Amino acid sequence: MSSRKSEKMGDGLASESDLLDMVCNHLQYLKFAEFEETVKVFEKEARRKGKPVLRSAGHSRRDSKTISIHDDFLSSFNDGDYKVFSELWAKTIPPEIRDFDPVAQKLEFYLQIHFTIYPLKSPVGSHDKGEFENRITHFKHYLETRGAALSQTTEFLPFYALPFVPNPTVHPSFQELFQDSWMPELRERLEKFLSVTLKASNTPRLLTLYVSFLSIQQMQLHLTEVERKSAICMRRFTKLQADHHNLIGITAELVDSLEATVRGKMISPEYLQGVCMRLFSGHMRQSAAQSVDFTRPGTGYYSMSPYDDGYVSCLSSCLACMTMNVPLLPSLDYEKLKKDLVNGSDRLKALLLQALRWRLTRSLHGEQRDTVLQAFISNDLLERYSSKQKTVLNLMKSKNEIVRQYMARLINAFASLCDGRMYLSQIPSLLRFLLDSLKTEEKESVTRENVLAAMQKLSLRRAQQSAMIRDGLIGWLVKELHDSDCLSDYTLEYAISLLMNLCLRTQGKKKCAEEAKHVLIVLTELLGHENHEIRYYVNGALYSILSMPEIREEAKQMSMEEILRCYTKEENSELNRQIEFIIKQLNSVDIPELEPESDDEEDDDDDDEEDVMEADLDKEEVLQPQPKELSGESLLTTEYLGVNITLQQWSQPWSWRHPNTAHFACLLSLMHQFQVLKSTV
């Protein structure tokens, strides 16, 4: 009987103890939130009723422990004991503060510097060289790991060169570190940080529980969302898998049909329409599939979902090729065109320049575009052989800004194609017009952007490179790039790419050597640009000009290697590899060039460059046609149609029964893809 009674009393005491523990958690929070009056009333009544208040002692113990940790931090700081300090930092400072708080990250960086240079602050003659080298090794490891996060911060950038400086005590960049005031100021920053952080680490348990509860709720919501997205992805995967097998079957059937076409057997349009209906049935409504114009290349492909297999493009293109060839654009009366370009009104000139450019930029890549370009060249659209005082090229000096802009756009379009660059290179006065335009047009005008882009493309040819170098273009580019923050990405990319092309030539390197320091300063400022394409060109230019001994010497005086090392901390392995090559070039010995400068200006590498007609050629069109005003292709085919071509002849398509080389190549490509697909099943 007595044992049962004692058990009940024990249960009651346990329950009361749990309740007191919960109440004390609330009391702990009240003290943390500084509800002092409430705490006094609670403690007074608890004592009156004979209830223990246990948390006060706990607070005292925690306070004494906090003071002890605080003193250990400062003691190890004063003694330069980085091992003890590092253990305390890792053990005491919460990870969310240590890894993500900017104040903590910056303070840790300066503390690492303090412990690294601590051996150098002992009296002269008593420096422990071995200990300093060990600390430098430790600091290097820090820079490559935790310190890498601050490598793009200007405030800390000079300190990444610290491990590579033989004697930091005399280096101008690190004089501040050895001043008497630097260490006390850092200690004061550390004390302020510890007073806040160590107090914050004593967060009341009640508040910790509440934060944990909120975190669990957020995780549950996140889990629900992830499960929902996972179910959607699984449905998509199942659908894609079914489409994959369906497309393989259709591909096999189409390959058989295409082989029959090559052997001369006819394939009816109705059959092709039926195959296309099956091909697109899973991706669009039946009515939409029926409305697709299968006589236009790629129509079906662009109507499909973005996650379809890539070979669908080849299928739809082949179907289009079997039904209709790409039509050739009509011939034009180029003599009348050139006459109106020279003598017409400014608006007519601008409309014609726009229409001619559109004919080139909007034509289909391949046979159609090649035909357009060859027509322009064979009819000498820019009048390279003309002896007249006023030619089409003189539009670059027109008083009308739109005419100048549209002329520059047309020249840029020509320069985008290999044959176009060859044609432009045969016009003696072209570079003079372009250089004058660069110097007179407004800094960020569309006209100057297109002129600069055209010159960069022309610089792929040696004759044009030589002429640009002779005309002092390198000096102009360096001056422009010095104020790179004021340049658009388009201008900056073409300017630095043009500079790199000119620096590949010996004469270009010699020009850079005349102002070596200025050129190196401009290029090093661009090393940290956020656009990686620009940095590739900067690296190429640096590597090229550092083959000159006088430029290498100037670079060494600027501590170029230390600057370059600061940019090897990024994750881009290709950029890091390029910088390593530049450093090797910087430290290379003087070796005479094995390949002397060639005088053969026809020895061009331009033929290896791919033709790319960029979308920016037609951006920001300032000229818009008025109501009932002809423009574009309608203007050309209405007012300037060639006398030997009728509209009926132009619109007559070739027969699908006589496929050309492009169609046959498309067939071979499709058959090859089918073999690859079949092997994956």
Side-chain angles (χ1 to χ4, degrees):
M1 185 74 177
S2 60
S3 63
R4 289 181 181 176
K5 186 175 181 181
S6 62
E7 286 178 6
K8 287 182 179 180
M9 289 178 65
D11 291 343
L13 288 172
S15 300
E16 187 176 4
S17 175
D18 292 340
L19 288 171
L20 280 173
D21 191 59
M22 293 172 63
V23 171
C24 287
N25 283 334
H26 285 75
L27 180 62
Q28 183 187 7
Y29 173 75
L30 291 173
K31 289 182 177 181
F32 178 81
E34 299 181 351
F35 287 94
E36 296 176 0
E37 294 298 326
T38 305
V39 171
K40 287 179 181 178
V41 171
F42 174 80
E43 290 179 340
K44 181 179 179 181
E45 189 162 359
R47 281 193 295 270
R48 184 168 59 80
K49 292 187 175 183
K51 304 295 183 183
V53 184
L54 303 175
R55 294 302 178 190
S56 297
H59 266 295
S60 299
R61 285 194 296 272
R62 273 196 301 275
D63 291 342
S64 62
K65 185 178 179 181
T66 299
I67 293 171
S68 175
I69 293 172
H70 184 275
D71 291 343
D72 290 342
F73 264 117
L74 296 181
S75 177
S76 57
F77 175 86
N78 292 333
D79 297 340
D81 191 342
Y82 73 93
K83 292 182 180 179
V84 173
F85 191 94
S86 299
E87 290 175 2
L88 285 170
W89 188 269
K91 184 179 178 181
T92 310
I93 308 302
E96 61 271 15
I97 296 177
R98 194 171 63 236
D99 297 335
F100 301 107
D101 182 61
V103 175
Q105 289 178 320
K106 292 182 178 182
L107 178 61
E108 183 182 8
F109 195 99
Y110 282 117
L111 289 169
Q112 291 287 344
I113 295 174
H114 163 70
F115 289 114
T116 301
I117 65 174
Y118 187 85
L120 300 178
K121 294 192 174 185
S122 55
V124 178
S126 61
H127 295 173
D128 188 341
K129 187 175 181 181
E131 176 63 18
F132 176 64
E133 290 178 353
N134 289 336
R135 297 194 179 210
I136 280 291
T137 303
H138 176 78
F139 186 57
K140 281 183 181 178
H141 177 71
Y142 167 76
L143 292 178
E144 293 169 357
T145 52
R146 294 181 57 77
L150 298 173
S151 62
Q152 298 301 314
T153 306
T154 307
E155 178 184 352
F156 299 103
L157 199 56
F159 299 115
Y160 284 83
L162 178 60
F164 306 100
V165 177
N167 189 1
T169 58
V170 297
H171 197 283
S173 300
F174 308 122
Q175 286 180 351
E176 180 188 0
L177 303 179
F178 297 94
Q179 293 179 0
D180 294 338
S181 61
W182 189 79
M183 185 173 167
E185 288 174 358
L186 181 60
R187 177 192 169 101
E188 185 179 348
R189 289 176 60 182
L190 175 62
E191 288 187 88
K192 288 181 180 179
F193 175 77
L194 292 175
S195 63
V196 174
T197 306
L198 294 179
K199 179 182 177 182
S201 64
N202 290 326
T203 305
R205 187 163 178 262
L206 183 64
L207 188 58
T208 304
L209 290 172
Y210 177 69
V211 172
S212 300
F213 173 72
L214 292 179
S215 299
I216 291 171
Q217 278 191 322
Q218 290 178 349
M219 290 174 66
Q220 287 176 335
L221 292 173
H222 182 66
L223 179 62
T224 303
E225 179 65 15
V226 169
E227 289 176 345
R228 184 184 69 81
K229 290 182 178 179
S230 176
I232 293 173
C233 290
M234 185 57 67
R235 288 196 297 271
R236 287 180 177 176
F237 171 74
T238 304
K239 186 175 183 299
L240 283 172
Q241 197 173 38
D243 290 344
H244 177 72
H245 292 289
N246 183 41
L247 286 170
I248 288 176
I250 294 175
T251 304
E253 189 175 338
L254 285 173
V255 168
D256 292 340
S257 302
L258 289 168
E259 288 177 340
T261 303
V262 173
R263 291 193 295 269
K265 295 183 180 180
M266 293 185 61
I267 304 297
S268 68
E270 290 76 18
Y271 169 78
L272 291 176
Q273 186 75 16
V275 171
C276 290
M277 292 292 293
R278 289 168 54 203
L279 180 63
F280 303 134
S281 60
H283 306 279
M284 58 179 76
R285 296 190 301 274
Q286 194 79 357
S287 59
Q290 290 174 341
S291 67
V292 174
D293 181 5
F294 294 104
T295 64
R296 293 179 58 196
T299 303
Y301 171 66
Y302 289 110
S303 301
M304 298 183 70
S305 178
Y307 51 79
D308 290 324
D309 291 323
Y311 61 89
V312 173
S313 174
C314 188
L315 291 177
S316 58
S317 296
C318 279
L319 292 172
C321 290
M322 291 173 66
T323 56
M324 180 180 182
N325 274 18
V326 177
L328 297 180
L329 296 172
S331 177
L332 302 175
D333 185 346
Y334 286 94
E335 291 305 317
K336 183 181 178 184
L337 260 172
K338 288 186 281 187
K339 181 179 178 181
D340 285 352
L341 280 171
V342 173
N343 301 318
S345 65
D346 284 341
R347 183 165 184 83
L348 177 59
K349 292 174 183 177
L351 286 169
L352 287 175
L353 290 170
Q354 182 187 58
L356 291 167
R357 168 167 49 88
W358 282 354
R359 176 172 268 229
L360 199 55
T361 60
R362 298 183 179 184
S363 57
L364 298 175
H365 176 71
E367 182 182 2
Q368 192 181 67
R369 180 170 293 162
D370 291 344
T371 304
V372 170
L373 179 61
Q374 292 306 320
F376 286 179
I377 294 173
S378 61
N379 288 281
D380 194 16
L381 181 61
L382 300 183
E383 299 184 307
R384 60 180 167 177
Y385 298 125
S386 176
S387 58
K388 295 184 294 183
Q389 188 174 1
K390 290 180 63 177
T391 65
V392 174
L393 201 58
N394 283 93
L395 295 179
M396 284 298 301
K397 292 188 175 182
S398 171
K399 294 180 180 180
N400 186 286
E401 195 278 331
I402 297 179
V403 173
R404 296 197 308 274
Q405 178 191 137
Y406 277 44
M407 186 65 205
R409 287 178 186 250
L410 181 60
I411 292 173
N412 192 10
F414 265 95
S416 300
L417 305 172
C418 182
D419 288 345
R421 290 190 289 274
M422 183 179 293
Y423 172 68
L424 293 176
S425 67
Q426 296 169 358
I427 305 177
S429 59
L430 176 67
L431 279 181
R432 178 172 53 81
F433 278 108
L434 296 180
L435 283 168
D436 290 345
S437 181
L438 276 182
K439 296 171 182 177
T440 56
E441 291 291 338
E442 293 183 8
K443 199 171 185 91
E444 283 303 310
S445 68
V446 177
T447 305
R448 198 173 83 148
E449 284 186 352
N450 279 272
V451 169
L452 186 61
M455 294 190 75
Q456 186 276 332
K457 295 164 187 175
L458 286 171
S459 70
L460 298 171
R461 303 185 65 82
R462 290 178 64 86
Q464 274 55 52
Q465 286 177 352
S466 299
M468 292 176 192
I469 294 169
R470 285 195 303 269
D471 290 337
L473 185 58
I474 287 180
W476 183 88
L477 287 169
V478 172
K479 182 180 177 182
E480 289 295 306
L481 291 170
H482 183 69
D483 194 16
S484 60
D485 292 340
C486 299
L487 302 178
S488 66
D489 279 355
Y490 185 91
T491 299
L492 183 57
E493 185 171 340
Y494 274 106
I496 190 62
S497 175
L498 174 56
L499 178 61
M500 184 195 73
N501 289 347
L502 300 183
C503 288
L504 297 176
R505 300 289 298 279
T506 302
Q507 291 301 318
K509 298 172 191 176
K510 290 179 179 178
K511 282 286 184 182
C512 291
E514 294 174 4
E515 298 182 67
K517 186 174 183 179
H518 188 203
V519 173
L520 289 171
I521 289 173
V522 168
L523 291 177
T524 51
E525 286 177 350
L526 291 170
L527 277 172
H529 199 279
E530 58 186 9
N531 187 330
H532 284 190
E533 287 297 322
I534 289 171
R535 292 169 66 180
Y536 287 133
Y537 298 133
V538 173
N539 291 344
L542 272 175
Y543 182 83
S544 181
I545 65 175
L546 285 174
S547 64
M548 302 292 289
E550 52 267 53
I551 298 181
R552 286 203 302 274
E553 186 61 32
E554 184 65 43
K556 290 175 182 177
Q557 292 179 13
M558 293 172 56
S559 302
M560 175 68 75
E561 182 171 353
E562 286 81 359
I563 296 172
L564 291 168
R565 292 284 182 195
C566 297
Y567 293 100
T568 59
K569 311 297 181 185
E570 300 187 11
E571 296 180 356
N572 191 313
S573 58
E574 178 61 24
L575 285 174
N576 290 342
R577 188 175 66 87
Q578 290 181 5
I579 289 176
E580 289 299 330
F581 279 126
I582 296 171
I583 293 173
K584 287 181 181 178
Q585 180 80 307
L586 175 63
N587 295 321
S588 62
V589 296
D590 293 346
I591 300 176
E593 293 192 18
L594 297 177
E595 295 182 6
E597 185 78 3
S598 171
D599 293 328
D600 184 5
E601 301 295 2
E602 298 303 320
D603 182 18
D604 283 306
D605 298 327
D606 191 18
D607 294 339
D608 297 332
E609 293 292 326
E610 183 182 355
D611 288 344
V612 178
M613 192 67 72
E614 60 205 46
D616 285 339
L617 286 166
D618 293 334
K619 74 171 184 179
E620 300 175 9
E621 295 282 1
V622 294
L623 184 65
Q624 300 296 331
Q626 298 173 356
K628 297 183 180 180
E629 183 179 37
L630 294 174
S631 65
E633 194 63 26
S634 61
L635 171 62
L636 296 178
T637 55
T638 302
E639 300 294 336
Y640 300 94
L641 195 62
V643 293
N644 295 324
I645 302 294
T646 66
L647 190 60
Q648 182 179 3
Q649 289 173 322
W650 164 52
S651 60
Q652 183 65 35
W654 293 351
S655 170
W656 62 270
R657 288 170 293 181
H658 298 86
N660 63 9
T661 307
H663 296 171
F664 190 71
C666 195
L667 165 64
L668 294 178
S669 174
L670 181 59
M671 293 175 68
H672 170 70
Q673 290 198 34
F674 170 66
Q675 295 297 330
V676 174
L677 287 169
K678 190 166 68 173
S679 66
T680 63
V681 180

